[in-house]
Amino acid sequence: MRKPLIFITNDDGIKAPGLRALIEAVKGLGEIVVVAPENGMSGMSHALTVSTILRLKEVAKEEDYIEFYCTGTPVDCVKLGGHKAITRKPDLIVSGINHGSNSSINVIYSGTMAAAIEGAIQGIPSIGFSLLDHSENADFSLAIEYARKIAIKVLAEGLPAFTCLNVNFPKNHKNEVKGIKVCRQAMADWDDEYVETLDPHHHKYFWLTGEFANSDMAEDTDEWALSNNYISIVPVHTDYTNHKVINQLKSFEL
């Protein structure tokens, strides 16, 4: 029997420590193909490159392992890599491990999760992994341990059609983590602020900043799970339809 093919990507770029941690997590589970952005692509969501060229460069190769960087977005990595870096459909796509949480509304903006969602669109079991720690020196030991366990589970059992997993790890030592919670996305938002300043030529420019605002701390949410030292797993579906309100909107039909 041939080994499973595991496709790895991220949005923090080819040099990110979180990517190296994810490679370590799935090492030995099958053939590994890495296609990651050349540079950081955080916050790119499901962006595609359509007006400029893309490049794909091989940077490492050994038995059962090959690594490329792509000049595009995380979704470009999945799409271009799927056409040009591999010769068969992956058995699993894993994305991350992101430096920083992708819980709650962050799933909408996340390049890490967009790569996993793209995998789900293509019918490939896919998982996005994130650690609630932005530090370059973050401790990924807990994430490596549990990412491997979750990857093994998904390789063995698969996932429902058009569904991927959004996995977030709390910033805690592994001895403090209580376990895993399968939960829903908290209904939170960002209180955005654009800081205005002047460049040396006295032209205005802006930096996006802001505070994460969450009033939804029900015990079935990812935010509650992370705040209480659990690893959160949210199943994410590619169908954006709000099925509950279809009948309410029937009056719109002409």
Side-chain angles (χ1 to χ4, degrees):
M1 293 179 63
R2 66 183 182 182
K3 298 176 182 178
L5 178 59
I6 302 171
F7 187 106
I8 304 177
T9 190
N10 75 342
D11 76 354
D12 288 318
I14 193 74
K15 297 179 181 179
L19 179 69
R20 300 299 136 188
L22 187 52
I23 294 167
E24 178 67 24
V26 299
K27 186 183 295 183
L29 298 183
E31 298 178 42
I32 293 174
V33 176
V34 179
V35 183
E38 181 181 15
N39 300 301
M41 289 283 172
S42 294
M44 292 300 290
S45 187
H46 218 95
L48 289 171
T49 300
V50 295
S51 59
T52 59
I53 63 170
L54 287 170
R55 299 189 187 276
L56 187 66
K57 182 174 176 58
E58 181 183 314
V59 292
K61 187 175 183 179
E62 56 190 71
E63 185 178 359
D64 291 339
Y65 182 90
I66 190 166
E67 181 176 323
F68 301 83
Y69 74 68
C70 171
T71 54
T73 68
V75 171
D76 288 328
C77 290
V78 175
K79 294 174 78 69
L80 178 62
H83 280 88
K84 299 298 182 181
I86 55 178
T87 56
R88 60 186 172 99
K89 189 174 182 177
D91 297 283
L92 177 68
I93 292 177
V94 288
S95 181
I97 299 169
N98 193 67
H99 292 250
S101 169
N102 276 315
S103 58
S104 185
I105 196 65
N106 296 301
V107 69
I108 299 294
Y109 306 109
S110 167
T112 299
M113 280 307 301
I117 291 167
E118 179 62 32
I121 291 170
Q122 296 183 23
I124 303 165
S126 301
I127 314 167
F129 294 102
S130 304
L131 174 67
L132 216 163
D133 190 342
H134 288 277
S135 170
E136 284 291 311
N137 300 313
D139 180 0
F140 286 95
S141 58
L142 168 78
I144 291 171
E145 177 185 341
Y146 278 91
R148 186 176 184 86
K149 292 177 180 178
I150 294 166
I152 290 171
K153 184 83 169 173
V154 172
L155 277 170
E157 300 182 10
L159 289 171
F162 304 110
T163 300
C164 62
L165 300 183
N166 182 13
V167 179
N168 283 272
F169 301 102
K171 183 183 176 181
N172 290 92
H173 189 275
K174 61 184 179 180
N175 292 334
E176 299 173 334
V177 170
K178 298 175 183 176
I180 292 174
K181 287 279 188 186
V182 178
C183 45
R184 68 173 174 87
Q185 171 187 324
M187 299 302 292
D189 200 357
W190 282 89
D191 184 7
D192 294 333
E193 181 179 353
Y194 283 88
V195 177
E196 178 181 325
T197 189
L198 297 176
D199 67 19
H201 301 286
H202 302 286
H203 299 141
K204 290 181 184 178
Y205 68 91
F206 303 89
W207 281 107
L208 173 62
T209 123
E211 296 291 333
F212 182 66
N214 178 35
S215 59
D216 181 8
M217 283 301 292
E219 294 186 12
D220 63 342
T221 66
D222 51 6
E223 287 298 319
W224 184 93
L226 292 166
S227 296
N228 286 274
N229 297 337
Y230 287 96
I231 298 162
S232 68
I233 299 181
V234 176
V236 176
H237 198 268
T238 61
D239 181 0
Y240 282 18
T241 308
N242 188 340
H243 293 272
K244 294 180 181 178
V245 302
I246 286 177
N247 288 333
Q248 287 179 243
L249 298 178
K250 287 292 184 181
S251 63
F252 283 43
E253 297 180 352
L254 300 176

